[in-house]
Amino acid sequence: MITKDQWEEIEKALKGSMGVVKFKLGDKQITLEKRFIKENVLVICVFINGKLDQKLGWPGDDYDPAIEPIWNKRSRSVYSPARKKKFIKIFGKRRVKQEIEDLDKKYEWHEPFFKTFVSMQRKYKKIEGLEFVRTDFVNL
């Protein structure tokens, strides 16, 4: 169980522009680093045993269910709200679900980064057996 003081230390490390936090979950070492993913976009990246493999988060052959409690879950509708509205206008409310079966379908995947500290903290507070190891500050 991670204490309130430890969460404050973690927040201090990850609120800055460059910070590193290390956790241990079973036999895995989880490292959170503040990094740029594109110009002027700073996120908290999640490394498992020192690796960042984005293929693991997409459902398919390479999917690893062990990342689910660690990575950020994302989803997106197949059809945008504007497109759904057009379909309803064309077919009507009742018939649209018969004509387009996947109207409300969503794609789901996991990403190895969090956009905010609060979203990461909310997810990591729920993980059973997560141990805080240490924080590092990178001075540039």
Side-chain angles (χ1 to χ4, degrees):
M1 184 79 181
I2 299 172
T3 65
K4 185 178 179 183
D5 292 336
Q6 289 173 331
W7 277 117
E8 289 173 4
E9 182 182 344
I10 294 165
E11 182 176 14
K12 185 178 177 185
L14 295 176
K15 283 279 186 173
S17 59
M18 298 289 159
V20 178
V21 178
K22 295 186 186 275
F23 293 102
K24 187 173 173 124
L25 181 63
D27 60 343
K28 293 183 174 115
Q29 179 185 353
I30 299 167
T31 306
L32 304 179
E33 289 186 19
K34 200 77 178 266
R35 288 207 173 171
F36 283 99
I37 57 168
K38 56 184 173 180
E39 188 176 355
N40 297 325
V41 179
L42 202 57
V43 297
I44 300 169
C45 291
V46 181
F47 294 84
I48 301 171
N49 296 330
K51 296 181 183 176
L52 180 74
D53 190 0
Q54 290 186 325
K55 293 187 295 183
L56 299 176
W58 286 96
D61 295 338
D62 294 332
Y63 184 74
D64 182 6
I67 61 154
E68 289 180 16
I70 302 167
W71 284 8
N72 189 20
K73 185 176 183 179
R74 299 285 312 270
S75 67
R76 177 161 287 155
S77 295
V78 174
Y79 299 106
S80 69
R83 200 153 177 209
K84 284 182 187 179
K85 195 174 181 179
K86 283 182 185 179
F87 288 145
I88 291 170
K89 189 175 182 179
I90 293 168
F91 295 112
K93 286 182 181 179
R94 291 187 186 130
R95 199 170 134 219
V96 72
K97 294 199 182 209
Q98 295 169 349
E99 298 294 329
I100 304 169
E101 294 174 8
D102 62 345
L103 185 68
D104 295 321
K105 184 178 178 185
K106 292 187 178 202
Y107 292 117
E108 292 182 347
W109 69 96
H110 289 81
E111 292 179 335
F113 54 83
F114 292 88
K115 293 181 180 178
T116 64
F117 170 78
V118 174
S119 63
M120 182 279 303
Q121 183 184 30
R122 195 177 313 123
K123 178 124 182 155
Y124 277 51
K125 276 188 172 183
K126 297 175 187 174
I127 300 174
E128 293 291 325
L130 184 68
E131 298 175 36
F132 172 67
V133 178
R134 72 172 197 269
T135 59
D136 295 326
F137 294 93
V138 179
N139 295 321
L140 297 176

